[in-house]
Amino acid sequence: MIRVEGGRPLRGTVRAAGSKNAVLPAVMASLLTTEPVILENVPHLLDVESAVALARALGKEATWQDSVIVLTGGGELAQEAPPALVQRMRASFLALGPLLARTKEAWMPLPGGCAIGPRPVDLHLMGLRRLGASLDLRGGTVHAQAARLKGTTVYLDYPSVGATEQLLLAAALAHGTTSIVNPSREPEVVDLADLLAAMGAEVTWWGDRITICGQASLGGAVHRVIPDRVEAGTYVLAGAITRGEVTVEGARPDHLDALLAKLSEAGATVETDGDRITVGVDGRPEAVNVQTLPYPGFPTDLQPPMIAFLSTARGRSTVRETVFASRFNYVGALARMGAQIRVSGDTVLTDGVETLRGAEVEATDIRAGAALVLAALAAADRTEIRGEEHIARGYADLPGGLRRLGAEVWAAD
Ligand code: UD1
């Protein structure tokens, strides 16, 4: 359980960790080669442990010291991914592409992950079929076969992050060039493309597509993972919701343009300088309207913390969620903390209140958990949040980071 004594403005500086969502596909990319892949700036997170456990289970050797993971070996890869590991985390499904490309036949259970609505993998499967894989779904497992994947053009109905990554990974060892039309352009996808390029694939971004020229084999690489924009955004919002001033260093401000624009619109002071972002809020912020969109739009992963922030702004904010079908499962908990908030279809409406109050609430996924912690920081008294294991999947030490900024946040039994 996390216990928070709210009501203290946060002030100070925290350092952004490496991006969870960039490191997970990077670990899967190591399956494409037997040469060493060295990942730097890796955050200490449960999800990264799950990714490394999966890579090991599939035949890689991995050492993880401080923030560096070295992945080697993998001359012989297992063809079957252990269901327990894949169900723990949705990103494990990204092992399918590399595994198929390397072993020509693979069994991959359908994924688990966060409880945020139906998250199908139809685009992943359609794309792999276009690359020449024959896929058979039986008893919750995908059985995939391909003598050699062949480059082709794949159009995505939606710029899915996971599907774009899956196809980049598979196409890197395919014969010929693959064009992904309407790809995701999230910074984490760009980071994966950069890693694949460093490993020897030829990757080019165009206006409407990304092309990747596959190689017969790929080499190793040393790759520094980009900073975690969602973690950085969460800290900035923690400062903002407590009407304090927080600086995040080691960040990529350009990856957070949408959030920073909305915070400025709400009346916050936003300053960026190199790899530093400083956001301060003096007095009550103004309501703003937000809609989540694929990058460079407002990130869905910051929607829950943003709504927590807006629940104390002056006036009515509407926040429309267009990326995931049901990502409002924490709204009831915010209401228990005194927020005037309701869900209408894909939109949350909140009439900002002067102050929130403490309550006993439960985190149901990573970002919902972050939203509740933020609300608790702004609440007038004590909040107890259960389900902290969800938060630990995505934030290395959120209570510790917030304490350094002056918050009273403790892990309790
Ligand atoms: C990734 C991120 C997650 C983030 C999300 C959107 C990782 C590990 N996770 O998730 O934190 O919230 O991007 O920025 O990087 N969809 C389909 N068919 C598919 C694939 C996706 O319909 O085959 C739908 C999903 O149900 C969802 C939407 O597309 O509604 C977005 O999903 P996607 O972009 O694939 O996100 P993930 O890769 O799951």
Side-chain angles (χ1 to χ4, degrees), residues 171-326:
L173 282 180
H175 180 70
T177 299
T178 299
S179 292
I180 307 173
V181 180
N182 193 29
S184 160
R185 297 176 170 279
E186 310 284 317
E188 296 76 17
V189 175
V190 176
D191 200 46
L192 173 65
D194 288 348
L195 170 60
L196 293 173
M199 292 168 68
E202 280 169 43
V203 186
T204 314
W205 290 89
W206 306 88
D208 58 350
R209 69 192 63 208
I210 177 171
T211 56
I212 176 161
C213 180
Q215 309 294 319
S217 66
L218 291 168
V222 180
H223 181 73
R224 189 172 175 81
V225 173
I226 55 170
D228 196 312
R229 61 192 164 116
V230 183
E231 189 203 41
T234 302
Y235 279 115
V236 154
L237 283 165
I241 197 173
T242 59
R243 321 250 164 106
E245 186 179 274
V246 165
T247 298
V248 182
E249 58 183 21
R252 281 282 303 260
D254 57 320
H255 289 169
L256 282 164
D257 283 335
L259 171 70
L260 299 180
K262 285 291 158 185
L263 285 171
S264 290
E265 197 183 322
T269 320
V270 175
E271 276 171 37
T272 62
D273 177 16
D275 71 351
R276 292 163 68 87
I277 305 171
T278 302
V279 172
V281 170
D282 195 10
R284 206 157 164 211
E286 300 295 329
V288 293
N289 297 330
V290 176
Q291 87 170 318
T292 66
L293 286 171
Y295 189 83
F298 193 95
T300 175
D301 286 349
L302 284 173
Q303 174 259 104
M306 185 69 180
I307 288 181
F309 166 68
L310 292 174
S311 70
T312 63
R314 193 197 317 270
R316 169 171 294 190
S317 302
T318 63
V319 180
R320 187 165 165 244
E321 171 61 60
T322 76
V323 177
F324 286 110
S326 76

Side-chain angles (χ1 to χ4, degrees), residues 13-295:
T13 302
V14 281
R15 198 165 180 85
S19 162
K20 166 180 92 73
N21 286 352
V23 80
L24 302 177
V27 170
M28 302 311 159
S30 75
L31 296 168
L32 294 166
T33 180
T34 53
E35 305 275 318
V37 171
I38 300 171
L39 303 175
E40 301 173 346
N41 199 29
V42 174
H44 277 268
L45 297 172
L46 284 178
D47 275 12
V48 181
E49 282 175 23
S50 300
V52 170
L54 178 61
R56 284 197 180 116
L58 293 173
K60 297 293 294 188
E61 285 153 36
T63 58
W64 185 355
Q65 213 172 9
D66 300 326
S67 60
V68 178
I69 295 182
V70 179
L71 296 131
T72 53
E76 290 279 314
L77 292 180
Q79 291 183 304
E80 223 173 312
L85 286 177
V86 180
Q87 271 142 24
R88 205 190 286 171
M89 180 183 66
R90 188 179 158 79
S92 308
F93 195 67
L94 295 177
L96 176 58
L99 215 50
L100 178 61
R102 284 280 314 280
T103 65
K104 322 225 176 297
E105 184 170 19
W107 284 264
M108 175 63 65
L110 290 167
C114 283
I116 49 173
R119 292 173 79 177
V121 286
D122 54 323
L123 296 172
H124 299 231
L125 302 181
M126 175 280 296
L128 291 173
R129 282 198 175 101
R130 291 277 306 156
L131 286 168
S134 91
L135 304 177
D136 191 20
L137 263 98
R138 231 177 270 159
T141 296
V142 181
H143 175 207
Q145 285 173 286
R148 172 110 201 248
L149 295 169
K150 283 195 189 61
T152 184
T153 298
V154 183
Y155 163 71
L156 296 180
D157 277 331
Y158 183 87
S160 151
V161 174
T164 307
E165 292 171 343
Q166 181 81 268
L167 297 175
L168 285 173
L169 288 162
L173 282 180
H175 180 70
T177 299
T178 299
S179 292
I180 307 173
V181 180
N182 193 29
S184 160
R185 297 176 170 279
E186 310 284 317
E188 296 76 17
V189 175
V190 176
D191 200 46
L192 173 65
D194 288 348
L195 170 60
L196 293 173
M199 292 168 68
E202 280 169 43
V203 186
T204 314
W205 290 89
W206 306 88
D208 58 350
R209 69 192 63 208
I210 177 171
T211 56
I212 176 161
C213 180
Q215 309 294 319
S217 66
L218 291 168
V222 180
H223 181 73
R224 189 172 175 81
V225 173
I226 55 170
D228 196 312
R229 61 192 164 116
V230 183
E231 189 203 41
T234 302
Y235 279 115
V236 154
L237 283 165
I241 197 173
T242 59
R243 321 250 164 106
E245 186 179 274
V246 165
T247 298
V248 182
E249 58 183 21
R252 281 282 303 260
D254 57 320
H255 289 169
L256 282 164
D257 283 335
L259 171 70
L260 299 180
K262 285 291 158 185
L263 285 171
S264 290
E265 197 183 322
T269 320
V270 175
E271 276 171 37
T272 62
D273 177 16
D275 71 351
R276 292 163 68 87
I277 305 171
T278 302
V279 172
V281 170
D282 195 10
R284 206 157 164 211
E286 300 295 329
V288 293
N289 297 330
V290 176
Q291 87 170 318
T292 66
L293 286 171
Y295 189 83

